[in-house]
């Protein structure tokens, strides 16, 4: 889009901010979202972000990109791959925006070596609640905002430009799907790969896993390659997560994808969530338009379900109770992974589960600032965690409190010294939430400095489900 076009987009953004009544909350004028929790309804106009949706510039020599805050990762990847470069972490869904992944966190199979998306940010321009655009860097005047911005979910401001580091990538990714019949063995192997960056003498550039049952789980190990050869295609009739499964405990199943198809391997079926819409039924999939096999279309179906309660109405016609949505990502220390997954499989009737190990980057740009440098989502440096993702629903048991399954998961995550992402429903008390996510008094101080008139919602009000 170029810097001049971006500047024009910023001017439109500022004009829209000035048009919002002084007593109204500031929010994005955005019809779509990758959040699963309810958005506050308001009749006030929102911020015009229509000019902030592209890549501003790619510096191939410096391996950096200047990116507008509302740019999707799909557009970002399409701009960097021609240079043989990619963002250090590319979240799984094409419509996730860079600004959203930084202020709301993101993760993927490079996170065991590259951390989380905000760790590759070099500088960031933020529209604060007071209507100013400031540039935050790790060592500048606004360093406190730079480190406090991740996991603030737009409550401290909105990013208008981010400068990020890129890494070289090759044309293809060669995969090995390694099967386990023991969750503890999977945990131990994953821990060893994170440390050694190899498995069975072959380098590992990408690492994630899928749990189907306590006796069938897999680690998928990817290594970059320029070697030419046949590749698989999971953008049409074949389904990626089903391709992982095989019977051998001694011989990994192998596969190859182009780098672009690897980065978006989960998007076609939104991991395995497309099955809820019948898209994995071969008789239906054969006639499903290929352009609608992607997460952005499933979001539209989800929105219709929320609006008209389609799912619960169908359950009622079958004589079944309504269902509670259980759509969450949590992180637990790697040594607690097998125990947590075992508990989950016994208590919550959802499968499969996604596993993705992560560590803060070393050296981290924030390493010198604090023992836990990102205060609103405090992971310990030099410690490995595993993100566990589960996205489905469970039957509501009559008489139980609202969000019973989600509340139980929240309690268990805390018991396991873990953390929960805030993109979906949350049920914490205000006191517990502030203890977990406010970084002591860091968030309050940032709020007072950058949103002194409370034009933006506070994090508890925005993130926690309340009736």
């Amino acid at each position: 889009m170029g810097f001049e076009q971006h500047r024009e987009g910023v001017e439109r953004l500022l004009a829209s901010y000035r048009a919002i009544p002084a007593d109204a909350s500031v929010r994005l004028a955005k019809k779509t979202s990758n959040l699963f929790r309810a958005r506050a309804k308001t009749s006030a106009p929102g911020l015009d972000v229509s000019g902030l949706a592209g890549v501003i510039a790619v510096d191939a020599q410096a391996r950096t990109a200047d990116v507008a805050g509302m740019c999707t990762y799909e557009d970002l990847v399409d701009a960097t791959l021609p240079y043989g470069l990619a963002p250090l972490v590319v979240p799984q869904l094409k419509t996730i925006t860079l600004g959203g992944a930084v202020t709301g966190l993101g993760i993927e199979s490079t996170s065991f070596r590259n951390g989380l998306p905000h760790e590759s940010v070099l500088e960031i321009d933020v529209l604060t609640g007071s209507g100013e655009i400031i540039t935050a860097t790790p060592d500048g005047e606004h360093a406190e905002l730079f480190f406090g911005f991740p996991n603030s979910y737009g409550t401290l401001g909105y990013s208008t430009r981010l400068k990020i580091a890129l890494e070289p990538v090759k044309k293809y990714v060669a995969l090995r799907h390694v099967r386990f019949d023991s969750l503890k063995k999977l945990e131990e192997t994953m821990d060893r790969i994170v440390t050694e960056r190899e498995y069975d003498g072959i380098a590992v550039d990408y690492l994630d896993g899928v749990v189907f049952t306590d006796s069938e789980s897999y680690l998928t190990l990817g290594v970059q390659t320029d070697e030419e050869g046949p590749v698989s295609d999971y953008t049409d009739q074949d389904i990626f997560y089903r391709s992982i499964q095989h019977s051998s405990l001694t011989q990994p199943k192998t596969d190859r994808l182009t780098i672009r198809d690897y980065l978006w391997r989960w998007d076609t079926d939104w991991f395995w969530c497309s099955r809820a819409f019948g898209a994995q039924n071969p008789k239906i999939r054969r006639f499903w338009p290929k352009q609608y096999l992607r997460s952005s279309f499933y979001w539209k179906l989800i929105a219709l379900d929320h609006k008209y309660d389609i799912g619960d109405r169908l359950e009622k016609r079958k004589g079944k109770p309504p269902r509670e949505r259980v759509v969450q990502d949590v992180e637990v220390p790697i040594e607690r992974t097998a125990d947590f997954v075992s508990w989950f499989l016994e208590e919550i009737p959802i499968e499969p589960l996604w596993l993705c190990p992560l560590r803060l980057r070393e050296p981290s740009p924030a390493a010198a600032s604090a023992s836990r440098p990102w205060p609103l989502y405090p992971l310990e440096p030099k410690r490995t965690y595993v993100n566990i993702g589960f996205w489905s629903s469970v039957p509501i048991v009559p008489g139980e409190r609202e969000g019973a399954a989600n509340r139980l998961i929240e309690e268990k995550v805390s018991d396991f010294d873990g953390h929960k992402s805030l993109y979906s429903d949350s049920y914490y008390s205000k006191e517990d939430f502030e203890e977990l996510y406010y970084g002591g008094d860091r968030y309050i101080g940032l709020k007072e400095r950058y949103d002194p008139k409370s034009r933006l919602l506070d994090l508890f009000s925005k993130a926690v489900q309340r009736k």
Side-chain angles (χ1 to χ4, degrees):
M1 64 188 299
F3 284 98
E4 179 61 26
Q5 187 177 354
H6 177 257
R7 186 190 65 78
E8 293 172 358
V10 171
E11 289 300 320
R12 291 203 300 274
L13 174 73
L14 290 172
S16 66
Y17 175 92
R18 293 189 288 267
I20 298 174
D23 60 349
S25 296
V26 175
R27 62 176 184 84
L28 298 181
K30 185 183 176 190
K31 295 181 179 180
T32 60
S33 171
N34 282 298
L35 299 179
F36 266 92
R37 48 181 160 77
R39 303 174 71 196
K41 295 181 180 179
T42 176
S43 58
L47 296 172
D48 181 357
V49 293
S50 60
L52 302 176
V55 177
I56 303 168
V58 176
D59 187 333
Q61 185 171 3
R63 295 179 182 171
T64 62
D66 285 273
V67 186
M70 298 299 296
C71 178
T72 66
Y73 271 93
E74 182 176 26
D75 289 342
L76 176 55
V77 165
D78 284 348
T80 62
L81 283 185
Y83 297 98
L85 299 170
L88 272 63
V89 181
V90 179
Q92 312 89 340
L93 306 182
K94 293 177 178 179
T95 55
I96 293 175
T97 64
L98 178 59
V102 169
T103 193
L105 304 186
I107 193 169
E108 238 296 331
S109 58
T110 56
S111 288
F112 78 103
R113 58 183 176 85
N114 287 340
L116 301 174
H118 57 266
E119 295 189 82
S120 60
V121 174
L122 305 174
E123 63 182 39
I124 180 171
D125 291 347
V126 178
L127 172 67
T128 67
S130 59
E132 299 178 283
I133 292 184
I134 59 94
T135 299
T137 61
D139 53 3
E141 176 186 358
H142 302 287
E144 188 177 11
L145 178 62
F146 180 90
F147 294 119
F149 195 73
N151 213 46
S152 63
Y153 280 92
T155 65
L156 297 175
Y158 297 102
S159 57
T160 62
R161 178 190 65 90
L162 304 99
K163 186 172 186 177
I164 63 169
L166 305 171
E167 68 174 5
V169 292
K170 296 180 180 179
K171 294 180 181 179
Y172 307 101
V173 179
L175 302 178
R176 290 174 289 169
H177 304 305
V178 183
R179 178 170 177 164
F180 299 88
D181 60 1
S182 160
L183 292 172
K184 195 64 181 178
K185 182 66 174 177
L186 176 142
E187 174 192 290
E188 293 169 350
T189 304
M190 183 163 45
D191 196 17
R192 187 168 64 251
I193 293 171
V194 169
T195 301
E196 299 175 358
R197 305 286 179 89
E198 62 91 24
Y199 177 79
D200 200 21
I202 301 174
V204 175
D205 298 320
Y206 304 96
L207 173 62
D208 65 351
V210 177
V211 176
F212 291 92
T213 68
D214 59 359
S215 61
E216 184 189 4
S217 58
Y218 300 84
L219 291 178
T220 293
L221 322 178
V223 61
Q224 296 184 30
T225 178
D226 282 326
E227 182 180 347
E228 299 291 341
V231 294
S232 297
D233 179 6
Y234 298 106
T235 64
D236 195 0
Q237 298 303 302
D238 295 331
I239 299 169
F240 178 73
Y241 85 98
R242 288 302 182 193
S243 77
I244 292 172
Q245 294 182 275
H246 61 92
S247 60
S248 175
L249 290 168
T250 58
Q251 185 65 37
K253 184 179 181 180
T254 61
D255 201 354
R256 279 168 48 91
L257 295 171
T258 67
I259 179 63
R260 190 180 191 280
D261 281 353
Y262 175 79
L263 294 175
W264 302 132
R265 68 201 182 284
W266 294 121
D267 188 84
T268 300
D269 286 286
W270 202 353
F271 287 86
W272 31 83
C273 297
S274 69
R275 64 186 178 184
F277 313 115
Q280 293 182 27
N281 182 327
K283 295 179 180 178
I284 297 175
R285 195 178 184 92
R286 187 177 303 115
F287 299 102
W288 195 291
K290 186 175 180 179
Q291 66 267 30
Y292 295 145
L293 282 172
R294 52 181 289 145
S295 62
S296 57
F297 181 69
Y298 306 137
W299 268 114
K300 295 178 182 178
L301 299 180
I302 288 286
L304 289 173
D305 178 49
H306 289 175
K307 185 175 182 179
Y308 298 109
D309 293 325
I310 297 171
D312 284 348
R313 291 185 180 190
L314 291 174
E315 292 296 300
K316 185 177 181 179
R317 291 181 63 179
K318 298 175 185 176
K320 297 180 179 180
R323 301 181 68 86
E324 175 188 351
R325 181 177 61 194
V326 182
V327 177
Q328 306 284 356
D329 280 77
V330 304
E331 275 96 40
V332 299
I334 194 167
E335 68 273 14
R336 308 300 303 276
T337 301
D339 290 340
F340 179 87
V341 172
S342 293
W343 169 84
F344 188 95
L345 292 173
E346 290 178 3
E347 298 292 333
I348 309 294
I350 289 175
E351 54 75 27
L353 310 179
W354 184 57
L355 307 182
C356 187
L358 70 146
R359 288 173 65 96
L360 293 181
R361 284 180 63 196
E362 297 180 29
S364 166
S369 68
S371 60
R372 289 192 173 192
W374 309 100
L376 304 194
Y377 206 71
L379 302 175
E380 293 182 19
K382 303 184 183 299
R383 188 176 192 184
T384 303
Y385 297 81
V386 175
N387 176 279
I388 304 167
F390 35 92
W391 315 292
S392 190
S393 62
V394 299
I396 294 175
V397 177
E400 286 197 344
R401 59 183 176 169
E402 179 193 4
N406 284 283
R407 293 175 191 269
L408 180 61
I409 291 166
E410 287 179 355
E411 294 167 1
K412 204 66 178 180
V413 168
S414 295
D415 290 344
F416 278 79
D417 194 25
H419 307 268
K420 189 183 90 164
S421 297
L422 299 176
Y423 69 87
S424 190
D425 298 323
S426 296
Y427 295 86
Y428 296 106
S429 69
K430 194 171 192 299
E431 294 73 20
D432 288 345
F433 185 85
E434 290 180 356
E435 182 178 352
L436 290 168
Y437 296 100
Y438 273 35
D441 60 358
R442 299 278 291 277
Y443 178 73
I444 300 300
L446 288 167
K447 195 70 171 169
E448 290 174 349
R449 181 176 180 185
Y450 294 102
D451 187 24
K453 295 183 178 180
S454 298
R455 299 296 306 280
L456 305 168
L457 289 176
D458 68 85
L459 187 55
F460 178 78
S461 298
K462 191 164 190 177
V464 176
Q465 172 87 20
R466 292 181 297 170
K467 293 294 185 182

